[in-house]
Amino acid sequence: MIKWRGTSFSVHPLFIMIMLASLLTGHVIEMITLFGIVLIHELGHAAAATIFGWKVQEIKLLPFGGVAVTDEGGSAPCHEEIIVALAGPVQNLLMIGAAYGLHMLGFWSEAWTEYFVQANVMIALFNMLPVLPLDGGRIVQALCSLFVSYHRTLLWCGRISMAFSLFMIGFALMPLYYREPIHLNLLVIGIFLIYANWTDYRNVPYRFVRFMTNRDRLSLLRMKQGTIAYPIVVGSEQPLGGVVRLFMKSKYHLIYVLNDRGKIVAVLPEQRLVDSYFANFMVK
């Protein structure tokens, strides 16, 4: 692991194994090129995140590409999340343009330009699949948070990601039906993604707590900005945990509490519930 300006750079063991395999098969230059493309892709994410004031904690190079780990913790606006997610594929488009330019100037051969362009297209398109932690999965999660509660967003995006990962594994194994070699690279990536998403799915309660830790600060900010409150109507017997799970990421809430006869008995700002949530959390 290498650390530079507060950001750690690490390489997943599977990525190292793939690089070692390239040494044995004589594709060292191609693998180094792929490594560079992935790194530039991730630096695009990191640059966009830094512009928005996010702290980039780590850049991980994985078998299918990479992941830029940030500290936003569910507190960033939807448009920022989408821009940061798209910043990686944009780097691939820029590299494709540069490759064609170098070819036209006579610096790159047609064969090498074709390989470089295909590698960028493959990485960009694969990362746009609606699977976390790929860029497409992050965009889907950001858009989903506009319409449903953040807790439900975490659950459903995790389920969608696992479903697509299983489909990827099934597609990789499909050649067995025709007694042909399986798509080994796709199988490894699918297994890695299903494991990563299953782990994240099990950690949804902890990820939600992280989201709630930023909620009080964001609530005060939205109040100062004059954001219109989005009502949540609950019964007086509704558990506190169930109420806060109704919070939407991009909304400020007022909670209307009804008694058994449907009469409003209290109107609470969401900060009251956030404070109570963490008070109960600390007691537990």
Side-chain angles (χ1 to χ4, degrees):
M1 181 182 291
I2 300 174
K3 197 164 188 176
W4 184 68
R5 292 191 176 183
T7 301
S8 300
F9 294 80
S10 63
V11 181
H12 193 274
L14 280 177
F15 198 101
I16 296 174
M17 291 174 63
I18 293 174
M19 293 184 68
L20 291 175
S22 70
L23 292 174
L24 299 176
T25 56
H27 294 88
V28 180
I29 300 300
E30 290 85 350
M31 194 61 210
I32 292 175
T33 302
L34 196 62
F35 181 92
I37 291 172
V38 170
L39 182 59
I40 293 172
H41 177 106
E42 292 308 316
L43 288 175
H45 292 308
T50 302
I51 290 172
F52 287 124
W54 304 9
K55 178 177 173 53
V56 181
Q57 299 171 327
E58 185 178 3
I59 293 178
K60 298 179 181 179
L61 298 184
L62 304 171
F64 54 83
V67 173
V69 181
T70 65
D71 67 342
E72 62 90 21
S75 61
C78 176
H79 73 275
E80 290 187 10
E81 285 192 278
I82 292 175
I83 292 173
V84 170
L86 289 175
V90 166
Q91 302 309 305
N92 295 117
L93 293 176
L94 293 175
M95 284 187 278
I96 289 172
Y100 281 124
L102 291 169
H103 175 60
M104 292 175 62
L105 292 172
F107 292 105
W108 281 12
S109 67
E110 184 174 349
W112 180 253
T113 301
E114 183 179 353
Y115 168 78
F116 191 82
V117 169
Q118 286 180 352
N120 273 282
V121 169
M122 177 189 69
I123 290 173
L125 291 180
F126 183 80
N127 272 278
M128 290 307 293
L129 291 175
V131 182
L132 292 167
L134 304 181
D135 303 333
R138 294 181 182 277
I139 292 172
V140 169
Q141 182 169 277
L143 292 174
C144 187
S145 68
L146 291 175
F147 304 100
V148 299
S149 69
Y150 190 67
H151 187 267
R152 187 171 294 178
T153 295
L154 293 177
L155 291 176
W156 278 104
C157 287
R159 291 166 184 167
I160 292 171
S161 297
M162 285 189 287
F164 270 88
S165 300
L166 288 172
F167 175 80
M168 196 179 301
I169 293 172
F171 184 81
L173 295 174
M174 189 179 296
L176 288 176
Y177 181 79
Y178 303 100
R179 298 183 179 180
E180 295 178 0
I182 64 173
H183 303 294
L184 184 58
N185 289 343
L186 192 61
L187 177 62
V188 171
I189 293 171
I191 293 173
F192 177 85
L193 288 174
I194 192 70
Y195 173 77
N197 280 289
W198 173 244
T199 301
D200 280 348
Y201 187 78
R202 293 178 61 189
N203 288 331
V204 163
Y206 304 102
R207 294 165 65 194
F208 184 72
V209 169
R210 187 184 178 195
F211 162 74
M212 290 295 292
T213 58
N214 296 312
R215 191 70 189 184
D216 195 46
R217 175 179 58 83
L218 291 175
S219 298
L220 293 174
L221 178 63
R222 291 190 177 108
M223 284 184 64
K224 291 179 181 179
Q225 293 174 339
T227 303
I228 298 176
Y230 185 85
I232 293 178
V233 181
V234 298
S236 57
E237 301 299 320
Q238 179 83 0
L240 176 62
V243 177
V244 296
R245 289 191 185 97
L246 298 175
F247 284 6
M248 297 180 69
K249 179 181 176 181
S250 57
K251 304 288 187 182
Y252 172 74
H253 297 290
L254 285 176
I255 294 81
Y256 292 78
V257 184
L258 307 182
N259 60 18
D260 295 337
R261 290 176 291 180
K263 182 179 179 181
I264 297 176
V265 294
V267 180
L268 305 173
E270 66 173 49
Q271 297 98 306
R272 288 273 301 275
L273 276 77
V274 172
D275 292 341
S276 298
Y277 175 81
F278 280 111
N280 292 340
F281 187 80
M282 293 301 293
V283 169
K284 293 178 181 179

